[in-house]
Amino acid sequence: MTLSACGVRPTPVLTGAEAPTVSAHELTVYLVKAELDGLVRRTRSYTGTVDTATAINLLVAGLTDEEKKLGLVTEVPATSSRVFAVSNVIVLPEDMGPLSKWAQVQLYCTAIASRAKVEGVPGPGIECP
């Protein structure tokens, strides 16, 4: 029996980069009270990279089971399309159609809260609950 080697020499232990980490974030979305007379803040957890569009996408995804049980509602139309942030502009999908006053306020307050938390940008002075 004959053994041969392919000529690859042993190498020392090679160290790699640090192991990847997963970060969890808490983002604020705004929903409409059951009485339809104001907004309430809700905190949702999200794992992964976040930006202002992430919070808007959480809002567009609809209510959680807990939020439904609390009687909260949303005027933001649900869509499976993604929302994108381009510089300081949020680009909404065309299939969302015209937005009601409450939907506009929900989107605005969610974007402002997210931008303040994620990007460290202070709000413009317009009060959201």
Side-chain angles (χ1 to χ4, degrees):
M1 177 176 219
T2 308
L3 293 174
S4 68
C6 64
V8 175
R9 299 180 189 269
T11 59
V13 174
L14 302 173
T15 59
E18 291 186 29
T21 59
V22 175
S23 56
H25 302 277
E26 289 189 345
L27 297 172
T28 300
V29 297
Y30 282 84
L31 302 174
V32 181
K33 293 179 183 178
E35 301 80 22
L36 303 176
D37 63 354
L39 296 180
V40 294
R41 295 172 65 117
R42 295 292 299 170
T43 302
R44 293 188 183 172
S45 295
Y46 183 82
T47 303
T49 305
V50 296
D51 59 9
T52 302
T54 305
I56 299 294
N57 280 313
L58 287 176
L59 178 63
V60 170
L63 301 169
T64 65
D65 289 338
E66 180 183 349
E67 292 162 350
K68 289 176 187 173
K69 288 178 187 173
L70 292 171
L72 300 175
V73 295
T74 181
E75 294 257 331
V76 176
T79 177
S80 59
S81 302
R82 302 289 296 165
V83 172
F84 296 96
V86 179
S87 187
N88 290 334
V89 177
I90 300 294
V91 180
L92 301 174
E94 288 182 22
D95 64 350
M96 288 183 73
L99 299 174
S100 69
K101 173 193 153 209
W102 282 118
Q104 292 174 36
V105 175
Q106 282 182 265
L107 289 163
Y108 173 80
C109 288
T110 299
I112 294 300
S114 171
R115 195 154 181 247
K117 180 166 180 110
V118 175
E119 300 174 26
V121 176
I126 297 173
E127 293 296 318
C128 292

